Amino acid sequence: MNRIIPQADMPAAQLMQCSSDVTALLNLCHLAAWEIQNSSDKEEIAELADNIVQVTRLAAELLEPVTEALATHEGLRKGK
C-alpha cells in the first residue's frame, strides 16, 4: 500500500487495514515456525524459513505508514 499511496493521503481505514494485514502475516509466521519445530524435512524447513523472512519484510513495509501516521499525529514528525 505505501508503495502506491503516500501515508498522508491514506485514510484511517486504510491504515487500520495495514495493521490488520500485519497481524495476519504474523499469524502465518507463527504457523510456519511451529511447522519448522515439528518437521524433519530439511527442504521444507528451509522453504518455511525463507517464507518467514519474506513475510516479516512485508510486515515491516506495511507498518511503515502506520508508524508514520502515529508519529505525525503525535507531533513527532511533520506531515510529508
Side-chain angles (χ1 to χ4, degrees):
M1 283 183 162
N2 58 335
R3 296 179 203 166
I4 301 168
I5 302 170
Q7 171 271 318
D9 296 336
M10 292 176 79
Q14 206 167 20
L15 291 168
M16 289 301 298
Q17 185 61 52
C18 285
S19 181
S20 296
D21 291 347
V22 170
T23 300
L25 291 170
L26 291 174
N27 285 331
L28 287 173
C29 287
H30 172 82
L31 292 172
W34 187 86
E35 284 294 322
I36 287 171
Q37 288 179 327
N38 294 298
S39 179
S40 59
D41 182 343
K42 290 185 180 190
E43 283 185 32
E44 180 184 34
I45 291 170
E47 183 178 345
L48 287 167
D50 184 56
N51 290 342
I52 290 172
V53 169
Q54 292 177 40
V55 167
T56 55
R57 284 182 183 154
L58 177 58
E61 189 175 317
L62 284 168
L63 278 177
E64 284 178 26
V66 176
T67 302
E68 289 174 11
L70 287 170
T72 301
H73 176 72
E74 293 300 321
L76 301 174
R77 184 179 307 154
K78 292 185 180 185
K80 292 185 176 183

